[in-house]
Amino acid sequence: AQSVAQPEDQVNVAEGNPLTVKCTYSVSGNPYLFWYVQYPNRGLQFLLKYITGDNLVKGSYGFEAEFNKSQTSFHLKKPSALVSDSALYFCAVRALQTGANNLFFGTGTRLTVIP
Amino acid sequence: DAGVIQSPRHEVTEMGQEVTLRCKPISGHNSLFWYRQTMMRGLELLIYFNNNVPIDDSGMPEDRFSAKMPNASFSTLKIQPSEPRDSAVYFCASSSPEFQETQYFGPGTRLLVL
């Protein structure tokens, strides 16, 4: 079975500070891992993905994520938070070998960047 | 590219009525996904199609829900009869053959069943 856990419903960070949004996954075999962002009244937007290669993945808007196989984690990070980063963030996983296209999403983490 | 297009953006209906949600995927994409988002249950995959064929409909709640994809550029999700517990935001997403793992979402349809 495939699943994703986002242990924090809410993360607050001051503008200019680094931010981390946590994600752990469970999947048989090698995973595809994703981060999506959802702004109010909008659909989810793709931020970044890990498939293979370098464990540090860089994505849109200055975000990056680090794949850690031993800890089965894929935390989202940004060195300096902006107020405009305030949104709902979703981690998702897909198992490589299933051949299925569907993703399994976490429950989401609401990030609030405080001016 | 216009992205994934969904209509209507908002729908208010009364219990028992039929509701049809529409989706136009990104041109050239061959996989299409329907999701439902609620506060209580988060984001749930309802069904997905590959090359217009339903691949996995295990997330469809019950027989009141049905989805079709008559061609590569159009899909519908129908609820008949609708119930208040169907109130949610319904998203459609699509992905390309070259990058099947990356899904692009539409803006969603906010459904309220009274």
Side-chain angles (χ1 to χ4, degrees):
Chain A
Q2 302 162 73
S3 66
V4 166
Q6 293 182 243
E8 301 158 317
D9 291 336
Q10 173 82 40
V11 170
N12 297 327
V13 64
E15 185 178 23
N17 283 3
L19 69 87
T20 299
V21 182
K22 295 179 181 177
C23 171
T24 59
Y25 66 90
S26 174
V27 69
S28 299
N30 295 320
Y32 284 166
L33 293 159
F34 304 81
W35 277 102
Y36 282 80
V37 60
Q38 185 179 26
Y39 297 101
N41 301 314
R42 304 283 296 275
L44 277 68
Q45 294 180 29
F46 170 75
L47 266 183
L48 52 80
K49 65 183 176 184
Y50 169 83
I51 296 177
T52 187
D54 194 347
N55 288 346
L56 185 63
V57 178
K58 294 188 183 296
S60 306
Y61 311 121
F63 284 93
E64 58 188 27
E66 185 166 13
F67 170 61
N68 187 319
K69 189 172 184 177
S70 63
Q71 297 185 5
T72 62
S73 68
F74 190 58
H75 301 332
L76 181 71
K77 299 182 180 183
K78 187 173 181 180
S80 178
L82 301 173
V83 173
S84 57
D85 293 331
S86 298
L88 189 56
Y89 290 81
F90 290 93
C91 183
V93 67
R94 172 195 160 189
L96 269 177
Q97 72 273 21
T98 64
N101 288 355
N102 53 310
L103 300 178
F104 292 84
F105 284 87
T107 51
T109 298
R110 186 165 299 280
L111 173 68
T112 300
V113 181
I114 303 165
Chain B
D1 197 323
V4 176
I5 298 172
Q6 291 187 247
S7 64
R9 292 293 310 276
H10 303 272
E11 177 82 27
V12 180
T13 191
E14 293 185 345
M15 182 173 64
Q17 297 298 306
E18 178 180 292
V19 175
T20 299
L21 310 181
R22 297 172 175 81
C23 176
K24 177 178 170 56
I26 293 172
S27 177
H29 284 195
N30 69 334
S31 293
L32 184 140
F33 307 80
W34 282 102
Y35 291 89
R36 179 173 66 177
Q37 186 179 37
T38 61
M39 289 292 292
M40 292 297 294
R41 300 174 69 91
L43 195 64
E44 303 172 277
L45 176 68
L46 300 177
I47 184 172
Y48 85 90
F49 295 84
N50 198 40
N51 294 320
N52 311 339
V53 176
I55 303 300
D56 184 356
D57 65 354
S58 59
M60 295 286 263
E62 49 200 88
D63 291 345
R64 297 185 298 106
F65 284 69
S66 62
K68 294 182 180 179
M69 192 165 186
N71 57 63
S73 59
F74 183 66
S75 177
T76 59
L77 178 67
K78 186 176 293 186
I79 308 173
Q80 168 63 21
S82 58
E83 297 182 3
R85 58 188 169 131
D86 302 329
S87 298
V89 181
Y90 291 81
F91 289 105
C92 177
S94 68
S95 64
S96 69
E98 297 81 13
F99 300 100
Q100 292 182 357
E101 70 284 352
T102 304
Q103 296 180 20
Y104 293 88
F105 282 72
T109 295
R110 187 174 296 274
L111 173 65
L112 177 61
V113 183
L114 301 174

